[in-house]
Amino acid sequence: IVYLVTLGRVYRSEDGGDSWVSISSGLTSYSWSGKQSAELVYEVAVDPSKSVHLLAGTRTDGEWHGGLFESNDSGQKWTQIAGSNLKGTELAADAWPIVLSEKTDKIVLVGGRVGVWLSEDRGRKFKRVDPGGVGEHDIRDLTPFVPGSKDVYLAAARGVWGSGDHGETWSKKPLLEGDACCVAFDPYARKRLYAVLRDRGLFMSDDARHQKWTELGHAELEVTGLAFPPKEPKAIVATSRATGLHVSKDEGKTFTPLNGGLSTLAPAVCAVAVSPKDGTHLAVTDLGMVHTSGDRGQSWKHVGRLGQRCREILVGDLLILLDRLAGCRIDDCVLAHLAPLPMRSHGFVADY
């Protein structure tokens, strides 16, 4: 099953992307005056303990009401459970990115253009938990909760922040200062953290809590997302809306392009997914073109077109989503994470 978010609407495919069905019933947001309506969904998250249970979050940028929607039947019907138009929920109009606890569906952490909100009752009521105090933070990315702990990290306009209690409290100052685009922990070395800063490139740390970072560079690639292929502990896949796909086999020290067969006129890659069984990849560009690869990205074949620009893609049981343009504030192209696990597209990979 593949879930796709494009132009604020949600679609589902049960045949690997050959055909799509709209599942946006109930995902309506309204203007502040109540006279206009629109679908403004930016992300879909799947409950790791119950794959038919979905959450969808909006990104309205303050111009519309919005918030968090829930489905208990794989998206056939949706109900808004929190948001700016629901009194008592304490959630603002934005609910992106979304992180779910892998152990309990009670914990829901969401970001937005102005801050972070935490719910401990399945998303019914939230409290604001901004890093560094309440303010304009512009959250670009959230990692999943690190397995076996309550640790979570976020990337924001002021830098990378860390929390050891599901986001209840955050580090007193950024663990890495700068305009952070994305953050991801290494699934093979979970104390290792990677982050990307605009105009400075890739950073790596084995002791982020003490702000010890190694600057790996590659600013020229304009990386916007990171992923970790299954069964390759030293490999990193990087995506860029400007330069396309790149892979490193040496923990980010060097990168080589993986754009063979992709359009040179539109190298921007919005989504990448990989099957843990056969290594087949799925890529979606910002023009809605779909490509597949059977050789781990060395060559690509154009197999179809979605017909719309992709905003988010959520890949189901057989495919592990590898990457996302996390937090780069691109209006026409942002993608999501993996189902059925509550993973960000940084490509946290389950044990096989």
Side-chain angles (χ1 to χ4, degrees):
I1 296 176
V2 181
Y3 294 96
L4 172 73
V5 175
T6 179
L7 300 179
R9 298 181 178 182
V10 182
Y11 298 84
R12 183 180 65 215
S13 173
E14 298 183 3
D15 54 14
D18 289 336
S19 60
W20 299 88
V21 176
S22 175
I23 54 169
S24 296
S25 177
L27 289 173
T28 303
S29 295
Y30 295 91
S31 63
W32 294 108
S33 66
K35 296 180 179 181
Q36 294 177 294
S37 63
E39 288 82 20
L40 301 171
V41 174
Y42 223 70
E43 177 173 7
V44 175
V46 178
D47 186 339
S49 62
K50 188 179 181 181
S51 60
V52 297
H53 180 221
L54 310 178
L55 293 178
T58 62
R59 189 78 167 190
T60 71
D61 296 329
E63 298 179 4
W64 297 70
H65 282 297
L68 196 66
F69 294 79
E70 180 183 59
S71 172
N72 290 297
D73 54 9
S74 299
Q76 293 298 322
K77 296 180 182 178
W78 295 90
T79 302
Q80 187 175 0
I81 57 175
S84 56
N85 56 322
L86 296 182
K87 293 182 179 180
T89 62
E90 307 301 328
L91 182 65
D94 292 343
W96 178 93
I98 306 171
V99 176
L100 294 166
S101 170
E102 65 177 23
K103 293 185 177 181
T104 171
D105 63 354
K106 291 183 179 180
I107 304 297
V108 181
L109 188 67
V110 301
R113 183 172 289 279
V114 297
V116 187
W117 287 262
L118 173 66
S119 171
E120 297 176 310
D121 62 355
R122 296 180 174 86
R124 268 56 184 179
K125 188 173 182 178
F126 286 83
K127 57 184 175 182
R128 193 162 177 178
V129 291
D130 291 3
V134 175
E136 298 286 330
H137 293 282
D138 195 3
I139 309 305
R140 278 80 179 276
D141 198 12
L142 284 165
T143 70
F145 296 116
V146 178
S149 76
K150 297 180 180 180
D151 293 351
V152 63
Y153 300 90
L154 66 81
R158 294 170 54 194
V160 175
W161 304 73
S163 171
D165 53 13
H166 285 148
E168 179 84 25
T169 61
W170 298 88
S171 49
K172 294 182 179 180
K173 59 181 179 179
L175 304 177
L176 178 66
E177 293 187 4
D179 194 355
C181 182
C182 66
V183 60
F185 64 81
D186 188 334
Y188 303 103
R190 290 170 181 170
K191 291 185 178 180
R192 175 168 295 177
L193 201 65
Y194 288 91
V196 175
L197 300 185
R198 295 185 194 276
D199 301 322
R200 294 185 62 186
L202 181 65
F203 289 74
M204 183 272 290
S205 176
D206 288 320
D207 190 9
R209 293 289 182 180
H210 293 91
Q211 298 176 284
K212 297 180 180 179
W213 294 85
T214 298
E215 187 169 356
L216 300 173
H218 312 296
E220 73 283 356
L221 299 182
E222 299 184 47
V223 173
T224 49
L226 299 172
F228 303 88
K231 303 178 182 180
E232 296 185 60
K234 294 186 177 182
I236 302 174
V237 175
T239 64
S240 168
R241 195 171 186 268
T243 63
L245 276 173
H246 305 269
V247 64
S248 171
K249 299 291 186 178
D250 54 11
E251 299 176 322
K253 295 180 180 66
T254 61
F255 282 89
T256 56
L258 283 178
N259 294 329
L262 297 179
S263 171
T264 57
L265 297 178
V269 175
C270 294
V272 182
V274 60
S275 167
K277 294 185 177 181
D278 60 13
T280 299
H281 292 64
L282 170 68
V284 182
T285 73
D286 64 347
L287 297 180
M289 294 180 289
V290 182
H291 302 261
T292 60
S293 170
D295 55 10
R296 295 188 176 274
Q298 296 302 314
S299 60
W300 296 86
K301 179 181 178 181
H302 178 227
V303 295
R305 186 181 179 92
L306 296 176
Q308 300 183 68
R309 294 188 175 187
C310 173
R311 200 177 187 104
E312 173 189 37
I313 186 168
L314 184 67
V315 184
D317 297 336
L318 295 181
L319 297 175
I320 288 186
L321 182 66
L322 282 186
D323 201 16
R324 118 185 198 165
L325 297 180
C328 286
R329 300 295 66 74
I330 300 169
D331 292 336
D332 58 3
C333 183
V334 177
L335 62 128
H337 60 286
L338 165 72
L341 301 178
M343 302 173 183
R344 312 305 304 173
S345 53
H346 328 301
F348 169 77
V349 184
D351 296 329
Y352 300 124

